[in-house]
Amino acid sequence: EVVEPELLSYPLIKVPLGHADALPVKAVASGVRSGLVKAQDGSCWYRLKGCGNHDQGFVVRTTQAGTDAPAWRDVRGSAFLHTALRECFMAQETLLLFEPQGL
């Protein structure tokens, strides 16, 4: 049975190093919209998806209208259901490939 740490029971967002809202545990950015948080007991790391765009929070990007398309906006830094499901699927597929190899 997997027990979810209390730390992961609420939304988290990346902040600059030394920020007043920084977590009391080791955490690092691992991509533009991803982060890693070390379990409080030090036993493992958790990969978080959609926890802010760099350390800017959630940014609304607006594009210019083109000749064939109107201007549009999107949210940068968040995970959406379709991308989260794809991430889970690909992680499972990777596990199925590597687990028999002992990796």
Side-chain angles (χ1 to χ4, degrees):
E1 177 182 335
V2 176
V3 178
E4 180 182 284
E6 182 182 346
L7 179 67
L8 302 179
S9 65
Y10 51 90
L12 297 172
I13 188 169
K14 292 186 288 185
V15 295
L17 186 63
H19 191 277
D21 292 330
L23 295 172
V25 296
K26 184 174 262 188
V28 295
S30 67
V32 174
R33 293 171 292 281
S34 302
L36 296 169
V37 175
K38 192 169 190 177
Q40 289 171 312
D41 65 5
S43 63
C44 63
W45 288 82
Y46 293 94
R47 181 141 193 245
L48 307 178
K49 299 295 289 180
C51 52
N53 199 61
H54 297 289
D55 61 3
Q56 305 164 326
F58 298 99
V59 178
V60 177
R61 176 177 65 174
T62 303
T63 65
Q64 298 277 344
T67 55
D68 297 333
W72 51 271
R73 296 183 298 172
D74 66 349
V75 178
R76 307 301 298 161
S78 64
F80 296 97
L81 180 59
H82 68 283
T83 55
L85 290 174
R86 181 176 32 225
E87 182 85 16
C88 289
F89 173 79
M90 294 306 293
Q92 180 64 30
E93 290 296 303
T94 303
L95 176 66
L96 293 174
L97 288 172
F98 289 134
E99 195 171 45
Q101 311 301 321
L103 301 173

